Amino acid sequence: MYYLWLGLGFHGSFKLRHYIRSNADGRKNSYTNLLPSVSLCYRFSNQHILNLKYVRTRMYPSVAQLNPRNTSSDSLHIQVGNPYLTPVMTDQISLYYNLYYKGFYFTPMITYAYYSDWIDSDGKLEGDVYTSTYANLSHLHYLVFSAQVGYNFKYGNIGFYGYYSKRIQPGLQYNGDSWLGNLFANLHYKKWDLNLYAQYVSDSYTRYSRTKTKPICHLTLGRQLGTKWRLSLYLENFLFTGRKDYKTWFHNDNYQSFSSSRMKDRAPVIRIGVNYVFRNKVQEKWRNKKRFYDTDNELQNIKAN
């Protein structure tokens, strides 16, 4: 059985001449864009589904990227934004397969994305001072191979999500290879519940930089106390102790730098919480009364043969 979905969006920006007299430096500040989307689904059975999807989106520059003021505290490295940045157009196509069997599910996916007028860091070295800004430098290709596997059962679900991505861009100083792994679990038994989340990302990139971080891990254990009270225990980074490092390598022409942000003490974080749910007795009685009348009306509509 086939399913087909079609969509069409419109984004536009128009200059109001009454308020804006002229374009700055001849820049165009009006645009119109059509954003189509197409999704094709083929259902072999309730357990096997194949999907092909295409979507075009528009991504706007952030406030930090537009801010023309210097935001750096380093006298040898000036960081300014670019108020003349234009939005990025993204064309993305994905092919993925869904397998469901007795609570087990498996979803492999291949995604290709093309970004036109990609916003990236750019700069120049003048004497000993490097000035960094942002510009619509070039196009960008992104290829992602991902998969999610998990199992739903009586007491919750557990699963794993991972991907490998390849960034392809003119002038990229590093290889652009990155991978990620997520482990998650949501479990409950009687009045107890447990939520686990762990993630590791190898590297992230811009055109001229590579950043590496440490893995993260969170766990929450909860206990329901009656109908209104709940006691919870939250643990953070209990599996990965030691210093937390954010390391960044930067290379652009004759300018190279390395920066590291470190937390010397990264002991596990432990928090204990108590929750109380306030319920309006009048509203609760009204809901119960409405539920009774709805059920009564449904019973009245039943006809005996």
Side-chain angles (χ1 to χ4, degrees):
M1 183 179 296
Y2 289 94
Y3 299 91
L4 177 64
W5 292 270
L6 300 175
L8 183 64
F10 173 80
H11 279 199
S13 174
F14 306 95
K15 182 180 68 175
L16 301 178
R17 297 184 182 274
H18 179 72
Y19 299 100
I20 304 176
R21 295 184 179 180
S22 62
N23 292 333
D25 299 335
R27 300 280 179 165
K28 181 181 178 182
N29 47 23
S30 299
Y31 66 85
T32 57
N33 288 112
L34 294 178
L35 306 176
S37 62
V38 180
S39 181
L40 178 63
C41 172
Y42 180 72
R43 183 185 294 269
F44 299 92
S45 65
N46 291 333
Q47 291 78 31
H48 304 274
I49 304 174
L50 185 65
N51 295 272
L52 179 63
K53 183 178 181 180
Y54 164 78
V55 61
R56 167 174 282 189
T57 57
R58 188 178 185 92
M59 185 171 62
Y60 297 90
S62 66
V63 174
Q65 293 172 334
L66 295 171
N67 182 14
R69 305 291 183 180
N70 180 22
T71 58
S72 174
S73 59
D74 186 350
S75 60
L76 298 179
H77 188 171
I78 298 175
Q79 178 66 61
V80 294
N82 181 1
Y84 299 118
L85 291 174
T86 59
V88 179
M89 295 297 298
T90 305
D91 293 280
Q92 178 175 301
I93 185 169
S94 302
L95 177 66
Y96 55 99
Y97 168 77
N98 295 323
L99 169 64
Y100 306 96
Y101 182 73
K102 294 183 178 180
F104 171 83
Y105 61 90
F106 176 61
T107 305
M109 177 186 296
I110 300 176
T111 301
Y112 167 76
Y114 174 78
Y115 302 85
S116 58
D117 296 325
W118 177 253
I119 299 173
D120 218 330
S121 60
D122 193 19
K124 59 182 178 179
L125 183 65
E126 296 181 353
D128 294 331
V129 179
Y130 183 81
T131 301
S132 178
T133 185
Y134 300 94
N136 296 97
L137 291 177
S138 62
H139 58 274
L140 172 67
H141 303 270
Y142 228 90
L143 185 62
V144 180
F145 299 91
S146 63
Q148 181 169 336
V149 60
Y151 181 67
N152 297 319
F153 59 105
K154 179 180 179 181
Y155 301 110
N157 63 81
I158 57 175
F160 176 82
Y161 170 78
Y163 75 69
Y164 164 79
S165 66
K166 178 68 175 179
R167 176 176 178 141
I168 304 171
Q169 181 183 12
L172 187 65
Q173 297 296 317
Y174 300 92
N175 59 25
D177 295 334
S178 179
W179 63 272
L180 172 145
N182 279 345
L183 176 66
F184 58 90
N186 302 285
L187 307 175
H188 58 84
Y189 178 73
K190 294 184 178 180
K191 295 185 178 182
W192 293 90
D193 60 85
L194 182 144
N195 297 280
L196 171 67
Y197 177 81
Q199 181 188 83
Y200 177 77
V201 182
S202 60
D203 299 282
S204 59
Y205 300 90
T206 67
R207 188 181 188 184
Y208 301 122
S209 68
R210 176 172 72 94
T211 301
K212 179 182 288 291
T213 63
K214 286 284 187 71
I216 60 175
C217 186
H218 306 291
L219 182 144
T220 303
L221 178 65
R223 162 75 178 184
Q224 194 70 32
L225 304 176
T227 59
K228 297 182 178 181
W229 291 91
R230 183 177 183 273
L231 180 66
S232 61
L233 174 67
Y234 175 79
L235 303 176
E236 180 179 351
N237 302 321
F238 63 97
L239 291 180
F240 310 105
T241 59
R243 294 180 302 182
K244 182 177 182 180
D245 297 348
Y246 294 92
K247 299 179 180 179
T248 301
W249 294 263
F250 188 91
H251 183 195
N252 182 11
D253 295 333
N254 296 326
Y255 179 79
Q256 298 185 38
S257 68
F258 170 78
S259 62
S260 178
S261 175
R262 298 180 179 178
M263 298 180 183
K264 295 182 179 180
D265 299 323
R266 197 194 182 194
V269 177
I270 301 176
R271 289 198 294 263
I272 299 176
V274 178
N275 302 80
Y276 179 80
V277 179
F278 292 91
R279 290 175 178 165
N280 190 311
K281 294 184 178 180
V282 176
Q283 291 183 356
E284 187 173 357
K285 289 181 179 179
W286 180 82
R287 291 194 191 97
N288 293 333
K289 186 176 181 180
K290 184 177 183 299
R291 189 182 300 113
F292 170 78
Y293 283 123
D294 290 343
T295 305
D296 187 57
N297 291 334
E298 292 175 0
L299 293 174
Q300 290 179 5
N301 291 329
I302 298 176
K303 295 181 180 180
N305 294 326

